[in-house]
Amino acid sequence: MDKTRIAVFVSGGGTNLQALIDSEKSGQIPDGEIALVLSNSSKAYAIERGKKAGIKTVVVSKKELGSQQAFEEKVVTVLEEEKIDLIILAGFMSILSKNFTDRYPKRIINVHPSLIPSFCGDGFWGLHVHEAALKKGVKVTGATVHFVNEITDGGEIIMQKAVEVKEGDTPEVLQKRVMEEAEWIILPRATQKVSKEIRLEKVR
Ligand code: GAR
């Protein structure tokens, strides 16, 4: 049976995309294949990473299309053309509507740079998450991979990994540690887990 076809949605640097590409290459995602990289910004370096790996890349711009609805309709068209089974939000900094998430139940996963339910929800993205963790003075943080539903960072948790906060950490230093010690490890693992489940469902 065909592998699970994966689309990775990105907006920025794409280090999580890179972790997925490297994991697929080294055989750690045997049940899935990254078939598409979709960015909402033409400036995202992640697009270059996708191209370098020989993956089809596409930019869908909400600005150009004029509305969230038009943006999501275009995204759905692209996903259908590419026969995508699973969507991975890897540093995708745009909120998807309930209309969109309802269309793909348990078929969208996201990586978030904290231990949900801490430091998540609207306004908590990228460096802001680590700023908030340092401000609170937590001694342990981490990353979470979860299914995406209509509630921001509210879907079922798939995997989590804790990371130590160290004396003198800046948001940038902490972000790097959380990526290296948690995100780049659990995102490929969770991707394999869900890819396998989807593949098995297809054979049933
Ligand atoms: C990652 O830390 C990711 O967890 C976070 O943005 C960064 C993207 O980096 N995502 C969120 O905050 C989503 N709420 P990357 O482009 O290098 O993968």
Side-chain angles (χ1 to χ4, degrees):
M1 194 66 194
D2 287 346
K3 288 186 180 187
T4 295
R5 288 178 64 78
I6 299 167
V8 185
F9 285 18
V10 295
S11 301
T15 63
N16 278 289
L17 167 66
Q18 192 65 54
L20 288 167
I21 291 171
D22 295 346
S23 297
E24 187 189 340
K25 235 182 222 164
S26 63
Q28 292 170 72
I29 311 181
D31 292 294
E33 60 176 315
I34 306 170
L36 179 73
V37 172
L38 185 147
S39 175
N40 61 342
S41 158
S42 58
K43 293 185 190 114
Y45 180 67
I47 299 171
E48 302 310 316
R49 296 184 190 268
K51 281 186 183 158
K52 249 182 233 167
I55 302 164
K56 177 167 181 163
T57 61
V58 59
V59 177
V60 183
S61 159
K62 187 160 113 183
K63 231 187 201 169
E64 278 170 26
L65 290 164
S67 70
Q68 183 70 19
Q69 197 187 336
F71 168 76
E72 291 180 355
E73 276 168 12
K74 175 72 189 167
V75 170
V76 169
T77 304
V78 176
L79 295 177
E80 282 176 358
E81 274 168 13
E82 293 300 323
K83 299 192 167 40
I84 296 301
D85 305 300
L86 174 64
I87 299 164
I88 298 176
L89 309 184
F92 184 66
M93 302 305 185
S94 174
I95 302 286
L96 295 162
S97 74
K98 175 169 163 49
N99 198 23
F100 187 91
T101 57
D102 279 356
R103 210 184 162 107
Y104 301 102
K106 287 209 170 185
R107 290 292 181 272
I108 312 175
I109 71 180
N110 178 47
V111 60
H112 183 78
S114 75
L115 294 173
I116 290 175
S118 289
F119 313 116
C120 64
D122 292 333
F124 288 99
W125 54 274
L127 266 186
H128 300 302
V129 178
H130 305 292
E131 282 162 7
L134 290 174
K135 195 169 171 203
K136 184 69 192 173
V138 292
K139 303 301 174 210
V140 173
T141 184
T144 303
V145 178
H146 62 92
F147 286 116
V148 174
N149 62 14
E150 73 277 13
I151 303 157
T152 309
D153 301 323
E156 186 189 325
I157 291 171
I158 305 167
M159 272 181 206
Q160 290 187 303
K161 194 165 186 296
V163 174
E164 196 188 340
V165 178
K166 293 186 180 167
E167 196 80 28
D169 271 353
T170 62
E172 290 79 5
V173 167
L174 184 56
Q175 179 182 52
K176 187 161 178 277
R177 189 177 312 118
V178 169
M179 284 175 156
E180 286 172 353
E181 294 183 11
E183 296 185 49
W184 300 342
I185 297 164
I186 61 171
L187 184 59
R189 278 189 196 158
T191 300
Q192 166 52 20
K193 183 174 187 281
V194 177
S195 294
K196 188 174 178 182
E197 285 163 7
I198 293 175
R199 203 176 183 189
L200 288 174
E201 263 174 39
K202 281 202 225 167
V203 227
R204 263 186 222 130

PDB file of all heavy atoms in Angstrom, residues 153-179:
ATOM      1  N   ASP A 153      -3.941  25.338  19.612  1.00  0.00           N
ATOM      2  CA  ASP A 153      -3.129  24.464  20.472  1.00  0.00           C
ATOM      3  C   ASP A 153      -3.987  23.581  21.382  1.00  0.00           C
ATOM      4  O   ASP A 153      -3.524  23.119  22.432  1.00  0.00           O
ATOM      5  CB  ASP A 153      -2.127  25.282  21.316  1.00  0.00           C
ATOM      6  CG  ASP A 153      -1.182  26.093  20.452  1.00  0.00           C
ATOM      7  OD1 ASP A 153      -0.779  25.608  19.392  1.00  0.00           O
ATOM      8  OD2 ASP A 153      -0.850  27.234  20.844  1.00  0.00           O
ATOM      9  N   GLY A 154      -5.250  23.344  20.988  1.00  0.00           N
ATOM     10  CA  GLY A 154      -6.186  22.638  21.875  1.00  0.00           C
ATOM     11  C   GLY A 154      -6.456  21.190  21.514  1.00  0.00           C
ATOM     12  O   GLY A 154      -7.179  20.501  22.247  1.00  0.00           O
ATOM     13  N   GLY A 155      -5.895  20.689  20.423  1.00  0.00           N
ATOM     14  CA  GLY A 155      -6.200  19.318  19.997  1.00  0.00           C
ATOM     15  C   GLY A 155      -5.462  18.265  20.810  1.00  0.00           C
ATOM     16  O   GLY A 155      -4.553  18.570  21.592  1.00  0.00           O
ATOM     17  N   GLU A 156      -5.845  17.027  20.614  1.00  0.00           N
ATOM     18  CA  GLU A 156      -5.287  15.884  21.359  1.00  0.00           C
ATOM     19  C   GLU A 156      -3.756  15.822  21.267  1.00  0.00           C
ATOM     20  O   GLU A 156      -3.186  15.961  20.174  1.00  0.00           O
ATOM     21  CB  GLU A 156      -5.889  14.599  20.769  1.00  0.00           C
ATOM     22  CG  GLU A 156      -5.531  13.334  21.506  1.00  0.00           C
ATOM     23  CD  GLU A 156      -5.982  12.100  20.721  1.00  0.00           C
ATOM     24  OE1 GLU A 156      -7.041  12.160  20.075  1.00  0.00           O
ATOM     25  OE2 GLU A 156      -5.265  11.093  20.742  1.00  0.00           O
ATOM     26  N   ILE A 157      -3.131  15.603  22.402  1.00  0.00           N
ATOM     27  CA  ILE A 157      -1.662  15.558  22.450  1.00  0.00           C
ATOM     28  C   ILE A 157      -1.158  14.201  21.943  1.00  0.00           C
ATOM     29  O   ILE A 157      -1.676  13.150  22.338  1.00  0.00           O
ATOM     30  CB  ILE A 157      -1.168  15.845  23.889  1.00  0.00           C
ATOM     31  CG1 ILE A 157      -1.440  17.329  24.237  1.00  0.00           C
ATOM     32  CG2 ILE A 157       0.318  15.522  24.040  1.00  0.00           C
ATOM     33  CD1 ILE A 157      -1.207  17.691  25.686  1.00  0.00           C
ATOM     34  N   ILE A 158      -0.153  14.229  21.077  1.00  0.00           N
ATOM     35  CA  ILE A 158       0.425  12.988  20.535  1.00  0.00           C
ATOM     36  C   ILE A 158       1.738  12.662  21.256  1.00  0.00           C
ATOM     37  O   ILE A 158       1.959  11.525  21.664  1.00  0.00           O
ATOM     38  CB  ILE A 158       0.682  13.127  19.011  1.00  0.00           C
ATOM     39  CG1 ILE A 158      -0.596  13.533  18.286  1.00  0.00           C
ATOM     40  CG2 ILE A 158       1.237  11.814  18.436  1.00  0.00           C
ATOM     41  CD1 ILE A 158      -0.378  13.992  16.845  1.00  0.00           C
ATOM     42  N   MET A 159       2.604  13.643  21.395  1.00  0.00           N
ATOM     43  CA  MET A 159       3.900  13.419  22.079  1.00  0.00           C
ATOM     44  C   MET A 159       4.348  14.700  22.758  1.00  0.00           C
ATOM     45  O   MET A 159       4.059  15.805  22.269  1.00  0.00           O
ATOM     46  CB  MET A 159       4.986  13.039  21.079  1.00  0.00           C
ATOM     47  CG  MET A 159       5.074  11.563  20.816  1.00  0.00           C
ATOM     48  SD  MET A 159       6.393  11.173  19.644  1.00  0.00           S
ATOM     49  CE  MET A 159       5.729   9.649  19.001  1.00  0.00           C
ATOM     50  N   GLN A 160       5.106  14.544  23.863  1.00  0.00           N
ATOM     51  CA  GLN A 160       5.725  15.697  24.534  1.00  0.00           C
ATOM     52  C   GLN A 160       7.117  15.303  24.998  1.00  0.00           C
ATOM     53  O   GLN A 160       7.381  14.128  25.260  1.00  0.00           O
ATOM     54  CB  GLN A 160       4.914  16.122  25.769  1.00  0.00           C
ATOM     55  CG  GLN A 160       3.585  16.761  25.416  1.00  0.00           C
ATOM     56  CD  GLN A 160       2.863  17.337  26.611  1.00  0.00           C
ATOM     57  OE1 GLN A 160       2.593  16.621  27.571  1.00  0.00           O
ATOM     58  NE2 GLN A 160       2.527  18.611  26.560  1.00  0.00           N
ATOM     59  N   LYS A 161       7.984  16.326  25.118  1.00  0.00           N
ATOM     60  CA  LYS A 161       9.321  16.070  25.656  1.00  0.00           C
ATOM     61  C   LYS A 161       9.743  17.287  26.469  1.00  0.00           C
ATOM     62  O   LYS A 161       9.599  18.429  26.010  1.00  0.00           O
ATOM     63  CB  LYS A 161      10.308  15.805  24.517  1.00  0.00           C
ATOM     64  CG  LYS A 161      11.624  15.218  24.977  1.00  0.00           C
ATOM     65  CD  LYS A 161      12.406  14.655  23.809  1.00  0.00           C
ATOM     66  CE  LYS A 161      13.666  13.927  24.273  1.00  0.00           C
ATOM     67  NZ  LYS A 161      14.625  14.802  24.921  1.00  0.00           N
ATOM     68  N   ALA A 162      10.257  17.018  27.658  1.00  0.00           N
ATOM     69  CA  ALA A 162      10.651  18.103  28.557  1.00  0.00           C
ATOM     70  C   ALA A 162      12.092  18.534  28.299  1.00  0.00           C
ATOM     71  O   ALA A 162      12.924  17.742  27.875  1.00  0.00           O
ATOM     72  CB  ALA A 162      10.510  17.634  30.004  1.00  0.00           C
ATOM     73  N   VAL A 163      12.352  19.805  28.546  1.00  0.00           N
ATOM     74  CA  VAL A 163      13.686  20.391  28.382  1.00  0.00           C
ATOM     75  C   VAL A 163      13.957  21.295  29.583  1.00  0.00           C
ATOM     76  O   VAL A 163      13.080  22.053  30.014  1.00  0.00           O
ATOM     77  CB  VAL A 163      13.752  21.235  27.076  1.00  0.00           C
ATOM     78  CG1 VAL A 163      15.083  21.969  26.960  1.00  0.00           C
ATOM     79  CG2 VAL A 163      13.534  20.344  25.850  1.00  0.00           C
ATOM     80  N   GLU A 164      15.181  21.229  30.086  1.00  0.00           N
ATOM     81  CA  GLU A 164      15.560  22.031  31.251  1.00  0.00           C
ATOM     82  C   GLU A 164      15.763  23.508  30.887  1.00  0.00           C
ATOM     83  O   GLU A 164      16.336  23.806  29.841  1.00  0.00           O
ATOM     84  CB  GLU A 164      16.878  21.459  31.782  1.00  0.00           C
ATOM     85  CG  GLU A 164      17.246  21.899  33.174  1.00  0.00           C
ATOM     86  CD  GLU A 164      18.666  21.449  33.543  1.00  0.00           C
ATOM     87  OE1 GLU A 164      19.172  20.505  32.896  1.00  0.00           O
ATOM     88  OE2 GLU A 164      19.245  22.061  34.435  1.00  0.00           O
ATOM     89  N   VAL A 165      15.290  24.385  31.764  1.00  0.00           N
ATOM     90  CA  VAL A 165      15.600  25.813  31.611  1.00  0.00           C
ATOM     91  C   VAL A 165      16.838  26.063  32.457  1.00  0.00           C
ATOM     92  O   VAL A 165      16.925  25.596  33.596  1.00  0.00           O
ATOM     93  CB  VAL A 165      14.434  26.702  32.115  1.00  0.00           C
ATOM     94  CG1 VAL A 165      14.787  28.184  31.982  1.00  0.00           C
ATOM     95  CG2 VAL A 165      13.144  26.387  31.345  1.00  0.00           C
ATOM     96  N   LYS A 166      17.822  26.793  31.892  1.00  0.00           N
ATOM     97  CA  LYS A 166      19.072  26.996  32.636  1.00  0.00           C
ATOM     98  C   LYS A 166      19.230  28.457  33.044  1.00  0.00           C
ATOM     99  O   LYS A 166      18.710  29.365  32.374  1.00  0.00           O
ATOM    100  CB  LYS A 166      20.271  26.548  31.792  1.00  0.00           C
ATOM    101  CG  LYS A 166      20.262  25.044  31.564  1.00  0.00           C
ATOM    102  CD  LYS A 166      21.504  24.567  30.851  1.00  0.00           C
ATOM    103  CE  LYS A 166      21.421  23.049  30.664  1.00  0.00           C
ATOM    104  NZ  LYS A 166      22.417  22.545  29.743  1.00  0.00           N
ATOM    105  N   GLU A 167      19.951  28.646  34.126  1.00  0.00           N
ATOM    106  CA  GLU A 167      20.283  29.980  34.640  1.00  0.00           C
ATOM    107  C   GLU A 167      20.869  30.836  33.497  1.00  0.00           C
ATOM    108  O   GLU A 167      21.743  30.371  32.775  1.00  0.00           O
ATOM    109  CB  GLU A 167      21.368  29.763  35.717  1.00  0.00           C
ATOM    110  CG  GLU A 167      21.599  30.923  36.637  1.00  0.00           C
ATOM    111  CD  GLU A 167      20.567  31.005  37.753  1.00  0.00           C
ATOM    112  OE1 GLU A 167      20.011  29.954  38.162  1.00  0.00           O
ATOM    113  OE2 GLU A 167      20.319  32.139  38.197  1.00  0.00           O
ATOM    114  N   GLY A 168      20.361  32.052  33.360  1.00  0.00           N
ATOM    115  CA  GLY A 168      20.934  32.960  32.356  1.00  0.00           C
ATOM    116  C   GLY A 168      20.390  32.768  30.954  1.00  0.00           C
ATOM    117  O   GLY A 168      20.838  33.442  30.025  1.00  0.00           O
ATOM    118  N   ASP A 169      19.433  31.845  30.768  1.00  0.00           N
ATOM    119  CA  ASP A 169      18.854  31.634  29.431  1.00  0.00           C
ATOM    120  C   ASP A 169      18.215  32.913  28.884  1.00  0.00           C
ATOM    121  O   ASP A 169      17.532  33.634  29.617  1.00  0.00           O
ATOM    122  CB  ASP A 169      17.748  30.555  29.493  1.00  0.00           C
ATOM    123  CG  ASP A 169      18.291  29.155  29.281  1.00  0.00           C
ATOM    124  OD1 ASP A 169      19.487  29.024  28.951  1.00  0.00           O
ATOM    125  OD2 ASP A 169      17.516  28.187  29.462  1.00  0.00           O
ATOM    126  N   THR A 170      18.422  33.166  27.611  1.00  0.00           N
ATOM    127  CA  THR A 170      17.660  34.207  26.908  1.00  0.00           C
ATOM    128  C   THR A 170      16.587  33.462  26.102  1.00  0.00           C
ATOM    129  O   THR A 170      16.713  32.236  25.902  1.00  0.00           O
ATOM    130  CB  THR A 170      18.562  34.986  25.933  1.00  0.00           C
ATOM    131  OG1 THR A 170      19.053  34.054  24.951  1.00  0.00           O
ATOM    132  CG2 THR A 170      19.737  35.648  26.643  1.00  0.00           C
ATOM    133  N   PRO A 171      15.571  34.160  25.606  1.00  0.00           N
ATOM    134  CA  PRO A 171      14.562  33.467  24.790  1.00  0.00           C
ATOM    135  C   PRO A 171      15.203  32.736  23.611  1.00  0.00           C
ATOM    136  O   PRO A 171      14.816  31.603  23.308  1.00  0.00           O
ATOM    137  CB  PRO A 171      13.652  34.607  24.309  1.00  0.00           C
ATOM    138  CG  PRO A 171      13.786  35.668  25.353  1.00  0.00           C
ATOM    139  CD  PRO A 171      15.199  35.580  25.854  1.00  0.00           C
ATOM    140  N   GLU A 172      16.213  33.347  23.000  1.00  0.00           N
ATOM    141  CA  GLU A 172      16.857  32.726  21.830  1.00  0.00           C
ATOM    142  C   GLU A 172      17.603  31.445  22.204  1.00  0.00           C
ATOM    143  O   GLU A 172      17.532  30.444  21.492  1.00  0.00           O
ATOM    144  CB  GLU A 172      17.843  33.711  21.174  1.00  0.00           C
ATOM    145  CG  GLU A 172      17.202  34.884  20.467  1.00  0.00           C
ATOM    146  CD  GLU A 172      16.727  36.013  21.397  1.00  0.00           C
ATOM    147  OE1 GLU A 172      16.988  35.947  22.629  1.00  0.00           O
ATOM    148  OE2 GLU A 172      16.094  36.943  20.896  1.00  0.00           O
ATOM    149  N   VAL A 173      18.317  31.501  23.335  1.00  0.00           N
ATOM    150  CA  VAL A 173      19.084  30.326  23.782  1.00  0.00           C
ATOM    151  C   VAL A 173      18.120  29.188  24.139  1.00  0.00           C
ATOM    152  O   VAL A 173      18.326  28.027  23.779  1.00  0.00           O
ATOM    153  CB  VAL A 173      19.982  30.704  24.985  1.00  0.00           C
ATOM    154  CG1 VAL A 173      20.546  29.468  25.674  1.00  0.00           C
ATOM    155  CG2 VAL A 173      21.120  31.627  24.534  1.00  0.00           C
ATOM    156  N   LEU A 174      17.044  29.557  24.829  1.00  0.00           N
ATOM    157  CA  LEU A 174      16.067  28.542  25.234  1.00  0.00           C
ATOM    158  C   LEU A 174      15.359  27.954  24.001  1.00  0.00           C
ATOM    159  O   LEU A 174      15.146  26.734  23.912  1.00  0.00           O
ATOM    160  CB  LEU A 174      15.044  29.158  26.200  1.00  0.00           C
ATOM    161  CG  LEU A 174      14.020  28.201  26.791  1.00  0.00           C
ATOM    162  CD1 LEU A 174      14.675  27.025  27.513  1.00  0.00           C
ATOM    163  CD2 LEU A 174      13.079  28.945  27.743  1.00  0.00           C
ATOM    164  N   GLN A 175      15.038  28.805  23.053  1.00  0.00           N
ATOM    165  CA  GLN A 175      14.371  28.322  21.828  1.00  0.00           C
ATOM    166  C   GLN A 175      15.231  27.272  21.123  1.00  0.00           C
ATOM    167  O   GLN A 175      14.749  26.224  20.710  1.00  0.00           O
ATOM    168  CB  GLN A 175      14.131  29.498  20.871  1.00  0.00           C
ATOM    169  CG  GLN A 175      13.473  29.071  19.565  1.00  0.00           C
ATOM    170  CD  GLN A 175      13.279  30.230  18.601  1.00  0.00           C
ATOM    171  OE1 GLN A 175      14.216  30.970  18.305  1.00  0.00           O
ATOM    172  NE2 GLN A 175      12.075  30.412  18.135  1.00  0.00           N
ATOM    173  N   LYS A 176      16.533  27.556  21.044  1.00  0.00           N
ATOM    174  CA  LYS A 176      17.447  26.644  20.356  1.00  0.00           C
ATOM    175  C   LYS A 176      17.507  25.297  21.086  1.00  0.00           C
ATOM    176  O   LYS A 176      17.473  24.243  20.463  1.00  0.00           O
ATOM    177  CB  LYS A 176      18.835  27.296  20.291  1.00  0.00           C
ATOM    178  CG  LYS A 176      19.833  26.536  19.476  1.00  0.00           C
ATOM    179  CD  LYS A 176      21.008  27.421  19.060  1.00  0.00           C
ATOM    180  CE  LYS A 176      22.041  26.644  18.279  1.00  0.00           C
ATOM    181  NZ  LYS A 176      22.991  25.904  19.126  1.00  0.00           N
ATOM    182  N   ARG A 177      17.577  25.363  22.447  1.00  0.00           N
ATOM    183  CA  ARG A 177      17.647  24.109  23.210  1.00  0.00           C
ATOM    184  C   ARG A 177      16.360  23.299  23.052  1.00  0.00           C
ATOM    185  O   ARG A 177      16.401  22.069  22.907  1.00  0.00           O
ATOM    186  CB  ARG A 177      17.924  24.398  24.697  1.00  0.00           C
ATOM    187  CG  ARG A 177      18.232  23.113  25.487  1.00  0.00           C
ATOM    188  CD  ARG A 177      18.574  23.361  26.959  1.00  0.00           C
ATOM    189  NE  ARG A 177      19.536  24.411  27.136  1.00  0.00           N
ATOM    190  CZ  ARG A 177      19.284  25.555  27.810  1.00  0.00           C
ATOM    191  NH1 ARG A 177      18.126  25.759  28.391  1.00  0.00           N
ATOM    192  NH2 ARG A 177      20.205  26.473  27.905  1.00  0.00           N
ATOM    193  N   VAL A 178      15.221  23.990  23.070  1.00  0.00           N
ATOM    194  CA  VAL A 178      13.940  23.279  22.932  1.00  0.00           C
ATOM    195  C   VAL A 178      13.843  22.630  21.549  1.00  0.00           C
ATOM    196  O   VAL A 178      13.363  21.505  21.409  1.00  0.00           O
ATOM    197  CB  VAL A 178      12.743  24.246  23.194  1.00  0.00           C
ATOM    198  CG1 VAL A 178      11.423  23.602  22.782  1.00  0.00           C
ATOM    199  CG2 VAL A 178      12.710  24.648  24.671  1.00  0.00           C
ATOM    200  N   MET A 179      14.349  23.328  20.545  1.00  0.00           N
ATOM    201  CA  MET A 179      14.334  22.736  19.198  1.00  0.00           C
ATOM    202  C   MET A 179      15.223  21.491  19.147  1.00  0.00           C
ATOM    203  O   MET A 179      14.790  20.423  18.722  1.00  0.00           O
ATOM    204  CB  MET A 179      14.848  23.753  18.168  1.00  0.00           C
ATOM    205  CG  MET A 179      13.835  24.826  17.817  1.00  0.00           C
ATOM    206  SD  MET A 179      14.609  26.023  16.718  1.00  0.00           S
ATOM    207  CE  MET A 179      13.173  26.684  15.902  1.00  0.00           C
TER     208      MET A 179
END
